[in-house]
Amino acid sequence: MNTQAFQMINITVPQLTELIANCIKAELQKVVNFTMQPTKPEPEILTREEVKDLLKISFTSLWKYNKQKTLEAKKINGKVFYLRQDVMNLLNSNSAVA
């Protein structure tokens, strides 16, 4: 059995309006905080296409980065991938030259 009590009290219309507004504001804040969370984790490996777009460079420049060991590629089943952390480190460094 539910043991919650309900009590009637006298409040004015402005007080009731403020009470409702505060409740709505609190619930909306919960929704905003929830939606600001990432919906899915970002992949740890990136394709050549994704890296090219992220760095805003050509495939030729990406090949040069790999050749110069500026950004090291990983091969999985003959396909070329890059580690997200390596790409982010390159973006954050001053040595990145397109």
Side-chain angles (χ1 to χ4, degrees):
M1 176 176 230
N2 192 350
T3 59
Q4 292 180 346
F6 179 76
Q7 183 178 9
M8 295 288 289
I9 57 171
N10 290 328
I11 61 173
T12 65
V13 172
Q15 289 173 327
L16 179 60
T17 303
E18 183 180 352
L19 179 64
I20 293 171
N22 288 339
C23 290
I24 291 172
K25 184 177 178 181
E27 291 303 314
L28 284 175
Q29 188 61 43
K30 289 178 189 176
V31 170
V32 167
N33 289 340
F34 178 75
T35 57
M36 292 178 71
Q37 303 297 326
T39 55
K40 62 179 182 177
E42 296 182 10
E44 293 299 317
I45 59 172
L46 302 171
T47 64
R48 293 174 63 234
E49 180 79 25
E50 291 170 327
V51 173
K52 177 188 80 74
D53 292 342
L54 188 62
L55 296 176
K56 296 180 177 29
I57 60 173
S58 66
F59 282 119
T60 304
S61 294
L62 186 57
W63 177 83
K64 286 178 184 177
Y65 280 10
N66 191 40
K67 191 81 170 160
Q68 298 167 350
K69 303 284 187 206
T70 303
L71 186 61
E72 190 175 343
K74 310 290 183 198
K75 286 192 176 183
I76 303 173
N77 292 332
K79 295 184 180 183
V80 178
F81 295 96
Y82 295 87
L83 297 177
R84 175 176 292 282
Q85 189 60 46
D86 292 345
V87 175
M88 298 315 287
N89 289 342
L90 181 63
L91 277 173
N92 293 328
S93 74
N94 291 332
S95 63
V97 179

